[in-house]
Every structure is written in structure tokens, then in C-alpha cells.
Amino acid sequence: MLCKDRPVFCKDYRIDRYLNEGLFNGKTVYIHYTSEQGLKAIRKDGKISANPNRDRRGPKAKRGVYLTLAKDAMNQKKAHKLLFFCEEKYASSATHCIIFVFYDNRELTYAPITSGSSVTEVISWNDINFNQIDIIYYGKNCFI
């Protein structure tokens, strides 16, 4: 049961518990924001690809799967502002998300999104295959 003084992140109370704790079965909870088309591709491929879509992101797009921690759960509007810096080409990049934990330890890079930001950017430099993660939720961005 959630404590009343904890923040509510999600419209689904079952997910909220893990976001508030930041853990699922003792493992760190991560969120990957994506578009509806991106989520369809992730489901079809059985992985979150680290290869950038250069047609959409440009020729200088960097390799990596970009994640946030549970503490940084955010709705589409906030994600567009804080993660995608209001870039118009990314307007639909947080309409959907996938929430998961890794089965095993994984090498990840952690840093604030920008200098002084409270939002942590987490990067996996390699693909994240479904057989490496326990998916808690995938679908429309349910954050409030």
C-alpha cells in the first residue's frame, strides 16, 4: 500500500508503487520514452535498439538507448520539454513508454540531463533485448 505522503506518478496504482519505491523485486526501475511507432518497432523487434534513426534524428545522432529513473517519471508534455528540449521533431517522442528492470547488472552511464538538472539521463550503449529485462509496463505514457 502506498504511503499518503509519497508522490503519485501514474494513473495506474499498480505501477505507481514501483515508481515510488524506484524498485521492482529489489532492482532499479527504468523508463524508456518513445512514440507509438517506436513502441511498435520495439515490440516487433523484441528489443530497444541502440542504433539511432538518423532519418529522424539527423546524421550526428549518437548510438545509445536513453532511459530515465523511476524518480524522473513524467508525462508527455514534461518529457518533451525536459528530455527533448522542445524540439518539434520530437513532439511525439514521449507519447508511449516502456517501464522495466534489468535481470542482471548492466553497464550504464548516468548523468544529469543538463548541468544542474535533477533529471538523470541513463544511457545503455547497447541494445536492450527483451530476454535481458523484466517488463513492468508498456503502452501509452500513463504519467500525470
Side-chain angles (χ1 to χ4, degrees), residues 21 24 26 34-35 39 42 44-45 49 52 60 91 100 102 112 116 126 140 143:
E21 294 171 1
F24 178 77
T34 189
S35 64
L39 185 60
I42 290 167
K44 177 181 170 270
D45 296 342
S49 177
K60 295 181 182 180
F100 65 92
F102 289 101
N126 298 305
K140 287 189 176 188
F143 304 120

Side-chain angles (χ1 to χ4, degrees), residues 1-17:
M1 182 142 201
L2 290 175
C3 296
K4 289 186 180 187
D5 61 342
R6 287 192 173 167
V8 175
F9 291 110
C10 186
K11 297 172 189 170
D12 186 329
Y13 73 91
R14 297 166 298 177
I15 297 169
D16 225 22
R17 183 176 122 208

Side-chain angles (χ1 to χ4, degrees), residues 47-94:
K47 69 179 180 181
I48 307 171
S49 177
N51 292 320
N53 178 340
R54 288 196 167 82
D55 290 337
R56 183 168 159 262
R57 293 180 53 202
K60 295 181 182 180
K62 297 177 186 174
R63 179 177 174 79
V65 177
Y66 293 81
L67 312 168
T68 62
L69 298 170
K71 73 172 182 67
D72 298 323
M74 57 189 83
N75 63 27
Q76 177 188 354
K77 185 176 178 182
K78 190 173 179 182
H80 185 238
K81 179 180 178 183
L82 296 177
L83 301 178
F84 302 105
F85 307 110
C86 296
E87 287 280 340
E88 188 57 37
K89 65 182 173 183
Y90 299 119
S92 67
S93 291

